[in-house]
Amino acid sequence: NAGVMQNPRHLVRRRGQEARLRCSPMKGHSHVYWYRQLPEEGLKFMVYLQKENIIDESGMPKERFSAEFPKEGPSILRIQQVVRGDSAAYFCASSSDSYEQYFGPGTRLTVT
Amino acid sequence: SQQGEEDPQALSIQEGENATMNCSYKTSINNLQWYRQNSGRGLVHLILIRSNEREKHSGRLRVTLDTSKKSSSLLITASRAADTASYFCATEEQGNNDMRFGAGTRLTVKP
């Protein structure tokens, strides 16, 4: 049973470009969480999604960031018009219910 | 905002010794989880303890939870060099099920 998959593992974008981060949950999991980790800091919750629904986006910046988890396919975290401050590691996690979460390896975004 | 706060921030011990890490939190929770993160890798789930549980064991790991003090501890017994990693606690908040992580404890086990 494959774990949570994230791709790409590393992403480099110039300021102003768009970044798309993908997360494929574990088989049978319908809950996806996205987290951001800045250097030397703990993970910070961004958004919680179930299939086709955003349940909680209280941690998402109001502008430029969006997330989706369509009925088919991976969850996508999209960052428009990236800025240097967006450089971070972005982790997604999945669960089959609201309890134990399993994390992916993360995507390291570097904005140049 | 950050919920769990681990202490110490860094811990260095010799192989064979026990390592104890603590986590405090602020709100009411459904459960508390401990994770390990090896450098450059994703988090690995270690153990989950629910709010109505007080202690849980898994191999060399022992987790306690004191909801009255809003704190938890992770004890690793007979540590090994391979235990060197960062350890995070995370809480799932009651009501909104949001997950909150602390900044982690960096554990170094010297051979």
Side-chain angles (χ1 to χ4, degrees):
Chain A
N1 184 14
V4 178
M5 311 285 285
Q6 286 189 249
N7 70 79
R9 294 291 310 275
H10 300 273
L11 182 61
V12 180
R13 284 286 178 268
R14 292 198 185 99
R15 278 181 297 172
Q17 291 184 320
E18 179 181 285
R20 282 184 179 238
L21 289 65
R22 294 175 184 77
C23 170
S24 297
M26 285 180 70
K27 188 177 180 181
H29 286 190
S30 59
H31 301 240
V32 166
Y33 303 76
W34 284 94
Y35 298 84
R36 177 166 61 180
Q37 185 181 37
L38 296 171
E40 307 302 322
E41 293 186 18
L43 293 177
K44 292 187 178 180
F45 169 81
M46 297 181 74
V47 62
Y48 164 37
L49 309 105
Q50 292 181 21
K51 285 285 187 180
E52 300 183 278
N53 290 305
I54 296 175
I55 307 302
D56 181 355
E57 56 181 347
S58 59
M60 288 278 272
K62 298 298 180 191
E63 296 177 352
R64 302 187 298 108
F65 284 71
S66 62
E68 61 178 14
F69 189 15
K71 188 176 180 181
E72 302 292 337
S75 175
I76 306 288
L77 178 67
R78 182 181 176 209
I79 311 171
Q80 295 177 292
Q81 298 176 322
V82 295
V83 300
R84 287 220 171 102
D86 297 333
S87 294
Y90 292 83
F91 289 88
C92 84
S94 73
S95 70
S96 59
D97 51 29
S98 63
Y99 286 103
E100 296 176 76
Q101 295 184 22
Y102 295 86
F103 280 78
T107 293
R108 296 194 181 279
L109 172 65
T110 302
V111 179
T112 61
Chain B
S1 60
Q2 292 287 75
Q3 165 80 309
E5 295 182 1
E6 291 94 335
D7 80 86
Q9 290 187 335
L11 180 61
S12 182
I13 59 174
Q14 293 293 138
E15 229 174 7
E17 293 180 340
N18 295 340
T20 300
M21 289 160 272
N22 302 299
C23 170
S24 61
Y25 57 92
K26 294 172 184 163
T27 65
S28 295
I29 62 171
N30 294 326
N31 62 71
L32 185 144
Q33 304 174 33
W34 284 93
Y35 291 84
R36 180 180 68 207
Q37 184 180 33
N38 290 92
S39 180
R41 298 189 180 183
L43 293 176
V44 174
H45 179 261
L46 294 177
I47 201 164
L48 178 149
I49 186 165
R50 292 189 164 82
S51 60
N52 60 352
E53 297 176 309
R54 292 296 167 258
E55 188 171 312
K56 208 161 182 179
H57 298 257
S58 177
R60 293 183 296 112
L61 305 180
R62 173 178 168 246
V63 168
T64 62
L65 179 64
D66 187 336
T67 52
S68 65
K69 294 181 180 177
K70 289 187 166 53
S71 68
S72 172
S73 68
L74 170 67
L75 168 67
I76 303 174
T77 60
S79 63
R80 305 166 182 167
D83 295 329
T84 295
S86 291
Y87 291 83
F88 294 82
C89 74
T91 54
E92 183 184 275
E93 294 183 348
Q94 269 186 14
N96 56 25
N97 294 344
D98 277 352
M99 288 291 295
R100 298 281 182 243
F101 278 79
T105 292
R106 295 185 187 281
L107 174 66
T108 302
V109 181
K110 300 175 184 176

